[in-house]
Amino acid sequence: MTDEFDSDFMRSTTNIDRPGNISSGLDSAAVLREQACLKIRESLRAGQQDMADWQGGPLAVSAVPGAGKSTGMAAASAIAIARNQLHSRRQLIVVTFTRSAAANIKAKIRERLTELSLSQGGFAVHTLHGLALNIAMRHPDLSGLNLENSTLVTPTQSHRLIRTCVELWIAENPRRYQVLLEGQQFDGEETERLRRQSVLRTEILPQVAKTVIHEAKSSGLFPEQLLEMSALDTGDGYEILAVAGGLYQKYQALLRSREFIDYDEMILAALRVLDNPKARASEQKQVFAVFEDEAQDSTPLQTRLLETLAIDPDHPTLPPNFIRVGDPNQAINSTFTPADPIYFNQFCDECEVENKLATMDGAGRSTQVIIDAANFMLQWVNGSELAKHEKPFRDQTIKPVPSTDPQQNANPAPIGRGLELHTPRDIYHTVELIGKRVIELLEEFLPAEFEFGIGKNIESGSEASDGENSAKLPLENLKSMAILVRENKQGKFIKEVLENPQKHGLSFDLRKYGIKIEDVGERDRHSQVPWEILTLLQFLDRPHSPDYLKAALKILSDRQLIPKQDYNAFATSPEQFLYPGPLDPQQSEPVRKCRYFCCGLLQASLELPPYQIISFLALALQYDQTELATADKLAERVAIQTAGNNSMHNILGVLSEIVSSERFEPVDADDKIEERYTSKGQLTIITMHKAKGLDWDCVFLPFLHEQTIPGNLRVLPQTRFLGDFTLAEVARAQIRASLHEKYPLPNLGEAWEQAGYLKTAEEFRLLYVAMTRAKSLLWMAAEKKGPFTWNKPENLQEQKPCPVMPVLKQRFPSNAI
């Protein structure tokens, strides 16, 4: 062992009682190190100091946005490593939920350890699944995972595993399937029966399987337990939990037979290891304590894993050394993952009873009026009818930091009014107002002598086309700016209008200012390239498959290449749709457009050699330059792997493996997320979900309508034959009720109501997250007119504002513009 700290540690333990210079030298070093620890502690805020003062056992840290969670955790980690003389064989384990967060916290801990003159061996930082995988790999005989022969998958609704388990379930459960097919009423008409079959097989049941499997598995529930729960009759008629349990059972059998593993399987595999007393003691001996970040997004199974690791094997009856840091008010993943803030809130409440709760409520990120607006929104929502079940937010408010705070420019001065509340005529007017406000910000913070010109590049100061000289723009004078949207389609609309204002009759022009517009959603779409190409190739290989036809039409619709409509109506009879005879009903114009596009693809596939088909599809899908580059990379990889036999069958096999194993990285993949999205000199368009953890000087929140936030759970028209609810959400609500030990289980109507509440609460937390991304300017707008669907943004109608907007205007009348 050559670790520098281990050598110090061994010398200190062997020479501690010896008289002379060595012992006194070590004592002196220890004193200096403790003084350095105290210096780090004194640089922290009150809540951060509670972490630094931790001496063992559980500790809950509930932190507001901008409170400095990672800074506090890094300092507390370094101090714990120093005071407990940790080393590579007895480490502090820090757990985060993303790779970028792991890299960030690791760098901060290393920096603090350098201040303490310590080596880097006393800690390890993992993502949660990375930690579980490491444990499982160290004990393959106990975990049951053989990664050499297994393939990692992330099942989606369209994944072949999910589709296969649906088909197997249907074959074995004809009675239950017939009940679903008949729905609320059914006259037996053949066309309607085919349509319902298509919807059940390709939409409803795959969604139930995807939702329930992840929900149940992450909560430690097995298929048999779901089937037992289904015996508790809720009177829904459809026996939803029995359907869900059956699908889950089929999925698990397929997973094992095909040697696939999913992310939830990693956690279960690690827990199987820790169920063995000898292996558990071996793992625990290497762990001094566990520090968990973003604990509000943890599931019961994940918590059990970390809590088990944090127990001292020599004193198993003592509480675990377990610090959990999070903000339940920023829990924004519970409607599409099994995470639920209720678990972290319970942990906080339990720790509070034992005087083990620290609250980090001082935040230096935002100016005072933004803090006031966020606090007011939280209190108003908690006091409204929306909180009749339970409060969406934990009762904690953001406080500004004192003037002595070490953070530079803490609680900065407002830009303009700091909070600006708008009611534009429509969504086009909103984009115009944003464009003009961005121009005002550029002109306000750049030197008076600077002159703008068409084509000048804000980052380099060079001319884009005409070659004239121009001074380099001083980026340090500019402000970081972002537009936060609820969905990517809104971002796509904003970028298109910002880049082509004259086309829409708007009177602003960002081009002459040379500002870069970074649409994060556009970048994310590049990773969809392999899946989209595979889906279209499957259709070209088997055009008469209803599933493949419908999946291809969905992609073409999402890319806005064909009119959007209910494709089940004609996907049930592919031959009649693609090659209608003279006696078939006449097709409408939208249906004909779909047919012409599909037939064009089929014709090209007959004429082109297989090795050219991927590039052709990339052009047909109208990919941008980055997507085309990703498609070219994909085509090259497929060509290499099918060399000597580039049949369609082989191409599909290789593509399926790439998509299912997630081993294909898009071109221009980059882990420097914060740097890429918060750079000065660009306007970033990003979803509210992706904005979590980031901040900007100026944040724009457009399109704040009631139908969006909080909105309603969507019931698609083609699924309404079952009723005004979705089976997946009802099953999820019933599972959560059982996990929270709420019996009897809610019936169909009650479960749907609870699912609606869950969505409402989370949407308001999402708005809270979006508002607290802003430092000096928070710009919010609720338009009088907006689209019913963002698939057709040009179709405007009257819209009600998000309920928060009117009360914000009442509370901050001078900020309403």
Side-chain angles (χ1 to χ4, degrees):
M1 194 71 191
T2 58
D3 188 282
E4 177 190 333
F5 181 80
D6 283 349
S7 301
D8 287 346
F9 177 62
M10 293 303 291
R11 287 196 297 271
S12 69
T13 54
T14 54
N15 297 326
I16 193 87
D17 295 326
R18 296 182 186 179
N21 293 332
I22 295 178
S23 179
S24 61
L26 288 171
D27 289 343
S28 175
V31 169
L32 289 173
R33 192 163 289 160
E34 180 58 25
Q35 289 175 346
C37 287
L38 291 173
K39 184 179 179 181
I40 290 175
R41 182 196 181 278
E42 290 305 311
S43 72
L44 303 175
R45 296 171 183 158
Q48 295 170 331
Q49 288 180 349
D50 288 335
M51 273 197 281
D53 294 341
W54 172 80
Q55 294 182 355
L59 177 68
V61 183
S62 186
V64 301
K69 288 191 287 116
S70 60
T71 298
M73 185 176 279
S77 298
I79 290 171
I81 290 165
R83 287 177 173 167
N84 296 282
Q85 297 184 329
L86 303 183
H87 47 90
S88 58
R89 296 190 302 275
R90 181 76 165 154
Q91 290 186 319
L92 174 69
I93 302 299
V94 180
V95 179
T96 68
F97 282 79
T98 65
R99 290 189 186 93
S100 58
N104 180 43
I105 192 74
K106 187 182 293 184
K108 288 186 175 183
I109 295 174
R110 284 177 172 168
E111 187 179 320
R112 291 298 195 180
L113 288 175
T114 301
E115 291 178 35
L116 296 172
S117 301
L118 290 174
S119 71
Q120 310 291 320
F123 78 103
V125 180
H126 299 277
T127 62
L128 193 102
H129 291 102
L131 173 64
L133 190 58
N134 283 345
I135 295 170
M137 288 174 66
R138 283 196 290 269
H139 308 269
D141 53 328
L142 296 173
S143 68
L145 287 192
N146 182 350
L147 291 179
E148 290 184 4
N149 300 324
S150 298
T151 301
L152 176 64
V153 294
T154 301
T156 60
Q157 188 177 337
S158 59
H159 197 285
R160 65 181 186 276
L161 263 184
I162 296 289
R163 293 296 181 90
T164 304
C165 85
V166 166
E167 295 301 327
L168 290 172
W169 181 87
I170 290 173
E172 291 186 14
N173 294 272
R175 183 189 64 81
R176 286 201 173 104
Y177 179 64
Q178 186 62 31
V179 169
L180 294 173
L181 194 65
E182 292 176 0
Q184 292 187 322
Q185 58 181 2
F186 182 49
D187 59 9
E189 201 270 324
E190 180 65 12
T191 304
E192 176 61 12
R193 185 180 68 81
L194 291 172
R195 189 191 71 82
R196 290 188 183 190
Q197 280 184 341
S198 174
V199 174
L200 281 168
R201 289 174 53 251
T202 64
E203 292 183 36
I204 296 172
L205 291 175
Q207 184 60 43
V208 171
K210 172 179 171 290
T211 300
V212 166
I213 290 164
H214 192 25
E215 187 80 31
K217 209 169 183 180
S218 294
S219 304
L221 293 175
F222 296 103
E224 295 72 25
Q225 291 170 288
L226 276 194
L227 293 170
E228 286 174 13
M229 284 164 52
S230 70
L232 304 173
D233 184 24
T234 60
D236 63 35
Y238 296 129
E239 299 175 296
I240 295 174
L241 286 180
V243 174
L247 290 167
Y248 183 11
Q249 208 169 39
K250 295 296 175 195
Y251 171 82
Q252 285 298 97
L254 284 171
L255 212 61
R256 287 190 295 270
S257 67
R258 301 187 182 185
E259 295 188 312
F260 286 167
I261 57 171
D262 58 25
Y263 283 101
D264 294 321
E265 199 67 34
M266 290 183 190
I267 308 293
L268 289 168
L271 285 169
R272 284 196 291 271
V273 171
L274 298 180
D275 283 339
N276 179 280
K278 186 176 179 181
R280 180 171 64 248
S282 170
E283 291 293 331
Q284 289 171 337
K285 280 184 183 297
Q286 301 172 55
V287 178
F288 170 73
V290 175
F291 286 10
E292 180 190 14
D293 193 17
E294 302 292 358
Q296 77 277 355
D297 291 328
S298 195
T299 68
L301 216 58
Q302 294 165 355
T303 303
R304 184 180 142 205
L305 171 65
L306 299 181
E307 201 167 46
T308 302
L309 280 178
I311 292 173
D312 183 347
D314 297 327
H315 304 92
T317 58
L318 291 179
N321 288 338
F322 193 19
I323 292 186
R324 306 186 69 195
V325 184
D327 182 2
N329 294 341
Q330 294 188 77
I332 56 173
N333 297 319
S334 57
T335 51
F336 51 88
T337 76
D340 193 319
I342 191 172
Y343 301 117
F344 183 60
N345 273 322
Q346 287 171 351
F347 182 76
C348 289
D349 294 341
E350 291 164 5
C351 286
E352 188 172 21
V353 172
E354 301 293 328
N355 201 26
K356 296 274 190 177
L357 171 66
T359 301
M360 292 172 57
D361 54 7
R365 173 185 293 162
S366 304
T367 194
Q368 184 66 57
V369 69
I370 295 175
I371 290 175
D372 292 342
N375 286 337
F376 173 75
M377 192 274 273
L378 182 155
Q379 293 157 3
W380 179 82
V381 171
N382 269 0
S384 70
E385 271 293 303
L386 303 165
K388 61 184 178 182
H389 294 281
E390 58 186 81
K391 292 181 179 179
F393 293 96
R394 188 174 184 85
D395 282 321
Q396 65 182 28
T397 56
I398 309 170
K399 297 176 183 176
V401 297
S403 57
T404 55
D405 191 84
Q407 179 181 334
Q408 291 186 345
N409 196 29
N411 303 123
I415 292 175
R417 304 184 196 186
L419 173 69
E420 298 179 3
L421 307 170
H422 292 259
T423 310
R425 294 186 304 273
D426 56 36
I427 57 175
Y428 294 95
H429 187 206
T430 291
V431 181
E432 181 176 34
L433 291 175
I434 291 174
K436 289 180 176 179
R437 192 71 177 98
V438 167
I439 291 170
E440 289 173 6
L441 292 169
L442 288 171
E443 293 178 339
E444 180 179 352
F445 292 100
L446 282 174
E449 65 273 14
F450 185 84
E451 292 184 7
F452 292 101
I454 293 290
K456 288 183 180 176
N457 185 295
I458 237 172
E459 293 187 73
S460 65
S462 61
E463 288 289 346
S465 55
D466 59 17
E468 293 179 8
N469 293 327
S470 63
K472 184 174 181 179
L473 291 178
L475 291 183
E476 65 274 8
N477 288 7
L478 297 174
K479 297 299 179 182
S480 57
M481 300 176 288
I483 304 172
L484 274 51
V485 293
R486 182 60 187 83
E487 56 178 292
N488 280 319
K489 289 175 184 175
Q490 294 174 337
K492 186 177 180 181
F493 167 80
I494 289 172
K495 184 178 183 185
E496 194 276 327
V497 177
L498 284 175
E499 291 181 337
N500 304 281
Q502 289 75 25
K503 174 182 170 184
H504 302 282
L506 304 180
S507 58
F508 71 94
D509 190 354
L510 284 178
R511 288 180 304 162
K512 71 176 183 177
Y513 296 88
I515 191 166
K516 176 186 177 186
I517 301 175
E518 172 75 11
D519 181 5
V520 176
E522 188 174 70
R523 181 184 291 267
D524 291 345
R525 285 193 291 273
H526 304 155
S527 62
Q528 297 294 315
V529 167
W531 173 74
E532 290 182 341
I533 296 292
L534 171 62
T535 303
L536 289 185
L537 282 178
Q538 287 172 328
F539 160 66
L540 296 180
D541 184 50
R542 293 177 56 195
H544 297 156
S545 163
D547 287 354
Y548 291 157
L549 171 59
K550 184 177 168 185
L553 290 169
K554 176 74 166 56
I555 286 174
L556 297 176
S557 171
D558 289 344
R559 288 278 174 178
Q560 299 185 341
L561 299 170
I562 59 173
K564 189 172 183 65
Q565 54 198 299
D566 178 10
Y567 303 117
N568 292 290
F570 45 87
T572 52
S573 303
E575 291 186 36
Q576 189 180 57
F577 162 66
L578 292 168
Y579 309 110
L583 300 180
D584 290 324
Q586 187 173 3
Q587 293 177 335
S588 66
E589 182 61 24
V591 173
R592 280 201 298 274
K593 286 182 179 179
C594 296
R595 175 165 66 88
Y596 293 154
F597 203 106
C598 290
C599 288
L601 294 180
L602 287 167
Q603 183 64 32
S605 71
L606 296 174
E607 297 173 355
L608 291 171
Y611 63 86
Q612 289 184 5
I613 195 70
I614 291 178
S615 299
F616 165 75
L617 289 177
L619 292 170
L621 288 169
Q622 297 183 13
Y623 281 168
D624 62 26
Q625 289 302 312
T626 308
E627 289 170 315
L628 286 171
T630 299
D632 287 345
K633 176 184 172 182
L634 181 68
E636 183 180 353
R637 166 138 167 221
V638 170
I640 291 170
Q641 291 189 231
T642 58
N645 184 7
N646 62 354
S647 66
M648 182 66 82
H649 176 77
N650 270 11
I651 290 173
L652 287 171
V654 170
L655 269 174
S656 295
E657 179 63 22
I658 290 171
V659 170
S660 65
S661 65
E662 296 190 348
R663 291 174 189 155
F664 188 82
E665 289 292 328
V667 170
D668 199 26
D670 186 1
D671 287 334
K672 296 180 180 177
I673 294 174
E674 189 166 348
E675 182 182 322
R676 189 200 315 154
Y677 295 161
T678 62
S679 298
K680 294 181 178 182
Q682 76 177 25
L683 179 61
T684 301
I685 303 173
I686 189 170
T687 64
M688 294 176 179
H689 278 100
K690 279 194 172 292
K692 186 174 180 294
L694 305 173
D695 54 45
W696 295 265
D697 294 309
C698 308
V699 168
F700 298 88
L701 302 182
F703 316 142
L704 297 177
H705 295 132
E706 185 181 58
Q707 75 167 21
T708 305
I709 296 178
N712 295 302
L713 287 172
R714 289 183 64 203
V715 183
L716 297 173
Q718 61 265 32
T719 69
R720 288 190 186 275
F721 64 89
L722 291 171
D724 285 329
F725 53 84
T726 62
L727 297 190
E729 291 302 330
V730 168
R732 187 210 296 269
Q734 290 176 337
I735 291 170
R736 291 201 177 187
S738 73
L739 292 170
H740 301 163
E741 298 182 346
K742 294 180 179 178
Y743 296 103
L745 295 181
N747 61 30
L748 196 152
E750 294 166 341
W752 182 243
E753 184 181 356
Q754 289 176 17
Y757 164 73
L758 181 70
K759 173 180 167 53
T760 297
E762 184 155 303
E763 291 293 341
F764 281 120
R765 289 196 294 268
L766 183 61
L767 179 58
Y768 176 79
V769 166
M771 292 171 68
T772 54
R773 299 310 93 196
K775 296 179 184 178
S776 299
L777 174 63
L778 175 60
W779 189 102
M780 304 172 71
E783 301 75 11
K784 293 178 181 177
K785 287 188 175 183
F788 176 74
T789 170
W790 282 94
N791 291 312
K792 296 181 179 179
E794 68 280 359
N795 292 349
L796 302 179
Q797 60 184 42
E798 296 289 334
Q799 293 284 358
K800 292 181 179 179
C802 165
V804 168
M805 285 295 284
V807 294
L808 276 174
K809 288 181 178 179
Q810 290 173 9
R811 173 64 180 79
F812 302 94
S814 62
N815 299 86
I817 298 173

